[in-house]
Amino acid sequence: MEAGTLFRYHIPLNLHNPQPHRPSFRPPSVKAYSNLQGDYRGPKPAKELIADWVTSNDDVVRSLPVYVGGFSLLAVLFNRTFSGIALVADASSSQSRADLLTLGLAVTNILTGLVWLSIRPKTISVVNPEGVDCQRICTDLSDAVVSELLWVWESVSEVTCCRSLVIVYNNICVLQIGCAAASSSCEGEPLLADATKLVQGSLYQSAIKSGSQSYLANLSLYPGKSQLPFLPSNTQAVILQPLGDKGIAVIGGDTIRGFTTSDQAWITLIGDKLDATLGSPKYTREPKSAVSKYEPLIVNPTG
């Protein structure tokens, strides 16, 4: 097929089926691994009953020191009143010294409970990206590369909080898929990633220079957010994964600190695989011109 020709991949999407679609191009090794998981009979991780109970009864646990301290305080006063001991503390009396110590512990418990009730962790929730759907791919890629790029998107979007994926290689945006910011010039159209501006930005330069993954766990706190205008405005977290020294994968998530340590390690391995794939000449067609073309992927919503 000549360069610049549109590849039409029909990806069936069933919007009414809650089960995720399994792409036919999933590598056999992944399928074999999933089968092994069903036959696994080894030791299973033990459940932490106390930790689970504390997590599910957070309000009760936080207020517990207040109740314990208040009950202790009332018990000391009740004992002092009805035991026949003078209400005036006497330093020479062992009972008075014990009561003072108990009062101090009771007040400490009450103050601790008040502190626990006043300081609560901020609830982190999943947000819906504010943008439009985008499925753009460079037409100079071979069928094998297109299949692998689509497999990467299907895998990352299913098992992580990824909602946007942009891959830039050799100063060319080879893939932009997922949710993208809406274009201000064309209503309802996605804002396409400008590979030239992205490569010139400090985020790209620092990631390529370090050669390691950069994780922006809370994107709103980073001033470099302005260098990623093609992502939805409410993108919560971003992973910048270098693809060798020739490209980068920008992965946008819908949850603050939503990418776990395992996700980051897995994405690093995917980045190495993409670098090997996109850097191999046999995976790329010989273009007719120096300008690469981009066409939308054709999606069949009825399956």
Side-chain angles (χ1 to χ4, degrees):
M1 187 178 291
E2 297 182 357
T5 305
L6 168 64
F7 295 108
R8 296 181 178 269
Y9 292 88
H10 297 272
I11 309 175
L13 295 178
N14 190 353
L15 301 180
H16 302 285
N17 187 4
Q19 297 295 332
H21 172 67
R22 301 294 181 183
S24 59
F25 45 79
R26 186 180 297 276
S29 59
V30 177
K31 183 178 180 180
Y33 177 73
S34 62
N35 292 336
L36 289 176
Q37 283 185 323
D39 299 334
Y40 178 71
R41 299 181 181 274
K44 298 181 179 180
K47 295 183 178 180
E48 299 182 358
L49 299 180
I50 297 179
D52 294 341
W53 184 86
V54 170
T55 302
S56 59
N57 299 274
D58 181 71
D59 293 336
V60 175
V61 174
R62 290 179 179 274
S63 58
L64 187 60
V66 176
Y67 295 121
V68 173
F71 177 78
S72 301
L73 185 60
L74 292 176
V76 171
L77 296 178
F78 180 84
N79 178 69
R80 192 77 178 184
T81 303
F82 295 96
S83 62
I85 303 175
L87 296 179
V88 180
D90 185 3
S92 63
S93 174
S94 59
Q95 182 64 40
S96 297
R97 293 194 296 267
D99 290 344
L100 289 176
L101 180 60
T102 305
L103 288 174
L105 294 176
V107 173
T108 302
N109 276 333
I110 294 176
L111 294 178
T112 301
L114 294 176
V115 171
W116 285 7
L117 290 173
S118 62
I119 301 178
R120 294 176 178 270
K122 183 179 180 181
T123 303
I124 298 177
S125 58
V126 179
V127 301
N128 294 322
E130 298 176 354
V132 296
D133 184 62
C134 177
Q135 295 177 339
R136 296 277 174 170
I137 193 167
C138 179
T139 59
D140 292 333
L141 303 176
S142 65
D143 295 349
V145 174
V146 172
S147 297
E148 182 163 337
L149 292 176
L150 294 179
W151 171 79
V152 169
W153 163 246
E154 289 281 347
S155 303
V156 175
S157 61
E158 284 184 6
V159 301
T160 70
C161 66
C162 171
R163 294 298 175 266
S164 305
L165 175 63
V166 175
I167 298 178
V168 174
Y169 201 82
N170 284 333
N171 297 337
I172 297 175
C173 180
V174 297
L175 177 68
Q176 182 177 3
I177 194 169
C179 190
S183 175
S184 57
S185 58
C186 300
E187 184 178 358
E189 292 295 325
L191 178 62
L192 301 183
D194 191 335
T196 302
K197 292 183 178 180
L198 178 63
V199 169
Q200 295 174 352
S202 59
L203 290 179
Y204 177 90
Q205 296 295 334
S206 60
I208 295 299
K209 184 178 180 180
S210 64
S212 59
Q213 183 185 99
S214 178
Y215 181 28
L216 310 181
N218 191 352
L219 185 61
S220 61
L221 301 180
Y222 293 89
K225 178 182 179 180
S226 59
Q227 301 179 25
L228 307 172
F230 46 85
L231 294 179
S233 59
N234 62 340
T235 299
Q236 302 296 297
V238 166
I239 286 182
L240 302 175
Q241 176 60 50
L243 306 180
D245 58 352
K246 297 181 180 180
I248 194 172
V250 181
I251 304 174
D254 59 3
T255 308
I256 297 177
R257 294 185 293 275
F259 293 100
T260 64
T261 304
S262 301
D263 295 339
Q264 299 173 46
W266 181 52
I267 291 173
T268 300
L269 297 178
I270 291 180
D272 295 338
K273 180 64 173 66
L274 287 177
D275 180 34
T277 300
L278 295 173
S280 179
K282 67 177 181 179
Y283 286 110
T284 308
R285 288 186 173 85
E286 187 70 25
K288 289 183 177 181
S289 63
V291 179
S292 297
K293 296 182 180 180
Y294 307 91
E295 296 291 347
L297 294 172
I298 306 300
V299 177
N300 184 7
T302 60

